[in-house]
Amino acid sequence: MRVYNSLTKQLEEFRPVKEKEVSMYVCGPTVYDRMHIGNSRPVVFFDTVARFFRYLGYQVTFISNFTDIDDKIIARAKSLGVSETEVSERYIKEIRETYRKLNCLPHAHNPKVTETIPEIIDFIKLLVNKGCAYEVDGDVYFDVTSADSYGVLSSQTLENLISGARVEENEKKRNPADFALWKKTEEGLNWDSPWGRGRPGWHTECVVMVNSFFKGKIDIHGGGTDLKFPHHENEIAQSFCAYGHMIANYWLHNGRIDLSGEKMSKSLGNVVWVDDLLEKTSYQAYRVLMLNVPYRQPLNYKDELLTQAEADYEKIRRAYNTLYRRVEEAGEGAFAEDVETEKLKEDFIAAMADDFNTANALTAILQASKLANKYTRDAGISPERMRTLLKVFGEFLWVFGIETGVQPLTEEEKDLIARYRQARKAKDFGLSDALREEILKRGLEL
Ligand SMILES: [Zn+2]
């Protein structure tokens, strides 16, 4: 299995820290608004990554945080005339609901900054003691010149970063590229610290959360490509200073989502919200849309892409559900080896194991749909072979986080279908048409 490591800029063989286990951390949202489709890409992608590892038999621990302290939350609270906690709790609730609607497996934990303050303060103390951070007048800054490897992730040299850093009015920093670990403030939520009252800066929380839960280096740290610099660069610098390692063995970054060729931005007003889109379409089509483009490439959202994803999902759903019915009719029984199914399984795994190429994996799923259609039309295919295909097809869909919703038939439904078949056999087309309509109305495949 190969993954593209943004840190080394190459495809590398995946070797977990602990055999048959995968530890993953993905930077979560700042909770001051609903989730837009750009934010949902890492959510759907890394959920699929976690599912694939589980499918391969790994035990996966996947953590993603909620940033519930931020200037944007303070601004939102002010504009709404409510407390910051009300803002963050409201959006945490909404975002959790969005995760659920997108059919994401629950994360092992969603730590919040407000619940991590003592650990963050201890961590900043450690950085100060190690000589990588310094206090000025109640603020604490990280000294980027203390980190030899600063710039390693975003491929920038310290020299360029320093000369290119925006020269702010802030005279307190030794160096314009230094970043705040602790900010002196009495505005909004603030806490006591050895440096006076204040709150932590954004870049520290993830390092602390990763270390609190995993107690050491993890396998995968992920997030959107926009987080590479400065957020992830700063995480690496702090971790290296504190623990002598770069947090994760593999850094994975997904590409951004544009809207009809333009950058999505709230100020331009061209933002698509996940919940709004899920009013118009199914989560299954949504996931197909997200996974139809390899994760490192930018995804340019257009309505036509959604139409295509809906059509693809409809093909998948019909094929899977029809095969399901055929297997159900045949009753319980054995599985038989099936060369064509085996080939699809190899293709699917090879695609996913090639740096999570979900676009090629989707092709394998569509091939499975075709094969299912072929089998259900061919009276010569044994139930044993159909069972094998159904099982493998179902596994593909599970990895993609897609459920078709097909359920075993109730006695009443079985009776309805039996009567339909009888009417057709007896060439009573009036009755068979009426029964057929009734069957389709219930969403059953024939
Ligand atoms: Zn982070």
Side-chain angles (χ1 to χ4, degrees), residues 27-32 35 39 43 64-68 95 99 205:
C27 296
T30 301
V31 286
Y32 71 105
M35 198 191 292
N39 307 137
V43 171
S64 185
N65 67 319
F66 286 125
T67 296
D68 60 348
I95 291 166
Y99 287 168
E205 62 191 65

Side-chain angles (χ1 to χ4, degrees), residues 235-287:
E235 284 188 20
I236 287 173
Q238 294 170 80
S239 174
F240 202 78
C241 172
Y243 311 123
H245 66 69
M246 295 187 178
I247 307 178
N249 281 327
Y250 305 93
W251 285 79
L252 270 60
H253 291 99
N254 63 275
R256 62 174 197 278
I257 294 190
D258 289 338
L259 190 62
S260 305
E262 278 185 66
K263 191 174 185 250
M264 259 197 292
S265 101
K266 281 182 212 166
S267 55
L268 289 172
N270 62 344
V271 170
V272 178
W273 304 98
V274 180
D275 293 341
D276 293 349
L277 203 53
L278 287 175
E279 297 267 302
K280 284 204 296 188
T281 194
S282 66
Y283 85 83
Q284 294 94 336
Y286 193 102
R287 289 187 71 119

Side-chain angles (χ1 to χ4, degrees), residues 337-375:
E337 260 187 49
D338 187 77
V339 179
E340 285 177 88
T341 300
E342 198 50 42
K343 170 78 175 68
L344 284 177
K345 187 171 171 175
E346 275 169 26
D347 290 349
F348 181 83
I349 293 176
M352 289 298 289
D354 179 18
D355 192 31
F356 309 106
N357 191 328
T358 52
N360 287 349
L362 179 62
T363 304
I365 295 179
L366 290 166
Q367 294 293 342
S369 309
K370 278 191 191 157
L371 190 60
N373 291 338
K374 192 175 128 191
Y375 283 11

Side-chain angles (χ1 to χ4, degrees), residues 25-28 65 202-203 205-207 221-222 227 231-232 235:
Y25 181 93
V26 174
C27 296
N65 67 319
W202 173 38
H203 307 304
E205 62 191 65
C206 298
V207 190
H221 192 317
L227 293 183
H231 186 54
H232 288 166
E235 284 188 20

